[in-house]
Amino acid sequence: MSQQGSLGVAVIGTGRMGADHVRRITEVISGAHVAAVVDLDTDRAKAIAAGVEGCTAFADPAEALTAPGVDAVLVASPGPAHEAALLTAFEHDLPVLCEKPLTPDSASALRLLEAERRLGHRRVQVGFMRRYDREYVKLKALLDSGELGRPLMLHNRHRNADAPPGFTDAMAINDSVAHEVDVTRWLFGQEITAVTVLRPRPSAHAPEGLSDPQFVVFETDGGALVDVEIFLSARYGYQVQAEAVCENGTARIGDGHDMLVNAAGRWGGTVTPSYLERFEDAYDRQVQAWVDATRRGEVTGPSTWDGYAVAAVSEAGVRAQTEGGRVEVRLVERPGLYR
Ligand code: ISE
């Protein structure tokens, strides 16, 4: 570790998320600095590196990971590039924070699981940032306390103002519903065993090539039912809500009630424009937790197993979209490293 014990991070991928993480590491959190940025778009990488003291731009992740002063890696490149980046990080036994999805399919996620097992210790925290959102954390604590009794159902609403250009039905599962796959497993401590996808007549605002909204149903091995409304062109803003229905009561988060204004004959609050604002605090806490754990020599948070399980459920979800009906999820046995 360089700079008086500060963790030198290489950020791979300098798109929307990567650039936001560079800002976060440089300006918001403590204990780390960005030592390298990597992007195939070298102009973009150089422009970002120019704004960060001591940061070097690279086009090739392998080169960046052996650069002097690089102690850890934050992977924020597109999902299909994650496997190669993580395998390179494993070669150098570097700690990794990998943006979700871990990989876009279960076979590649399984290869990573095997590679990490061969290392013999956990190296990866997967970027399921909702686990660091204060409201989700409260909901998890309440469910874990047992006060509400056994969870029976989880209703989720996941709305984006607009889908990015080129967003497909499969991406609605792999990139968006992947979050509900993770929070379901985490909140309930159960695995998802089957997925069904239903679709109403699409919104007139649904972009070409995307069936929007969609209604996704999970069944779990604990006998719970979970529904997710994924609506990517909801227009009015970004909203994520969850309501757990349990034997002794219900608990709901994401209503955005932190300030209600009464004025001009109406009452209400504001809706965040995108996930960057809605989950800003969760992203900060996630990256800070990763840096703190790494500096202590530990690995915490969502694991490669969680990334694999989400990839397997997402794959079943995409099959349910194309084939129709209920698609079962089959996971390999959970290795001891992840228990
Ligand atoms: C995006 O990749 C995210 O991770 C957001 O949290 C999600 O709401 C959005 O739909 C995805 O495209």
Side-chain angles (χ1 to χ4, degrees):
M1 254 178 280
S2 35
Q3 286 191 18
Q4 280 122 36
S6 166
L7 190 75
V9 180
V11 176
I12 302 184
T14 55
R16 193 175 184 195
M17 252 353 284
D20 197 46
H21 284 314
V22 170
R23 175 195 62 78
R24 172 168 295 108
I25 294 171
T26 310
E27 295 171 15
V28 184
I29 66 149
S30 59
H33 61 278
V34 180
V37 286
V38 188
D39 209 303
L40 281 177
D41 181 341
T42 43
D43 289 342
R44 187 160 75 175
K46 280 184 191 153
I48 294 206
V52 180
E53 212 190 310
C55 176
T56 313
F58 294 88
D60 176 9
E63 234 182 281
L65 299 198
T66 50
V70 169
D71 308 307
V73 193
L74 194 160
V75 179
S77 46
H82 289 186
E83 183 183 3
L86 266 75
L87 290 175
T88 311
F90 290 168
E91 270 171 39
H92 304 289
D93 205 11
L94 288 173
V96 185
L97 173 59
C98 180
E99 266 301 333
K100 45 66 53 179
L102 176 67
T103 62
D105 60 88
S106 67
S108 51
L110 203 52
R111 287 195 291 272
L112 285 176
L113 196 80
E114 287 303 323
E116 194 176 37
R117 270 182 71 190
R118 279 196 299 275
L119 271 184
H121 47 247
R122 278 189 56 193
R123 266 306 185 207
V124 182
Q125 174 178 329
V126 183
F128 288 118
M129 80 298 185
R130 289 193 194 175
R131 295 192 188 199
Y132 297 86
D133 173 69
R134 288 175 203 274
E135 289 186 85
Y136 272 104
V137 167
K138 268 193 192 165
L139 179 57
K140 166 87 173 140
L142 179 63
L143 295 175
D144 284 354
S145 76
E147 196 183 320
L148 296 188
R150 187 166 59 86
L152 307 170
M153 292 189 284
L154 185 70
H155 304 299
N156 300 278
R157 296 187 197 89
H158 183 166
R159 298 182 185 140
N160 290 201
D162 303 291
F167 216 74
T168 61
D169 278 7
M171 288 163 91
I173 301 286
N174 290 327
D175 284 6
S176 305
V177 175
H179 286 292
E180 277 77 19
V181 174
D182 182 63
V183 291
T184 296
R185 301 177 54 257
W186 174 66
L187 287 173
F188 285 7
Q190 298 172 13
E191 291 296 356
I192 293 168
T193 51
V195 188
T196 306
V197 180
L198 302 167
R199 282 174 278 201
R201 182 175 156 204
S203 158
H205 305 299
E208 185 76 29
L210 183 68
S211 182
D212 194 42
Q214 303 187 43
F215 191 80
V216 184
V217 178
F218 306 142
E219 294 163 51
T220 75
D221 60 1
L225 270 188
V226 176
D227 60 86
V228 186
E229 173 208 302
I230 178 70
F231 191 8
L232 294 158
S233 42
R235 314 198 89 200
Y236 66 84
Y238 184 87
Q239 214 167 38
V240 165
Q241 299 170 331
E243 182 179 35
V245 177
C246 307
E247 286 173 325
N248 303 330
T250 68
R252 173 172 158 147
I253 58 164
D255 288 312
H257 277 169
D258 61 6
M259 183 166 73
L260 289 180
V261 177
N262 298 285
R266 299 167 74 92
W267 65 270
T270 53
V271 180
T272 46
S274 86
Y275 49 91
L276 292 182
E277 300 80 19
R278 164 65 181 86
F279 287 111
E280 183 177 4
D281 183 57
Y283 283 120
D284 292 350
R285 285 152 49 89
Q286 165 190 255
V287 177
Q288 187 69 69
W290 175 64
V291 167
D292 291 348
T294 304
R295 294 177 81 209
R296 291 194 307 269
E298 293 172 14
V299 181
T300 57
S303 67
T304 306
W305 170 261
D306 296 310
Y308 157 71
V310 172
V313 174
S314 301
E315 209 164 74
V318 174
R319 269 186 56 208
Q321 283 176 324
T322 49
E323 295 167 15
R326 172 181 181 276
V327 175
E328 291 192 0
V329 181
R330 302 230 174 271
L331 297 179
V332 297
E333 201 185 320
R334 189 173 177 139
L337 186 59
Y338 306 103
R339 280 197 202 117

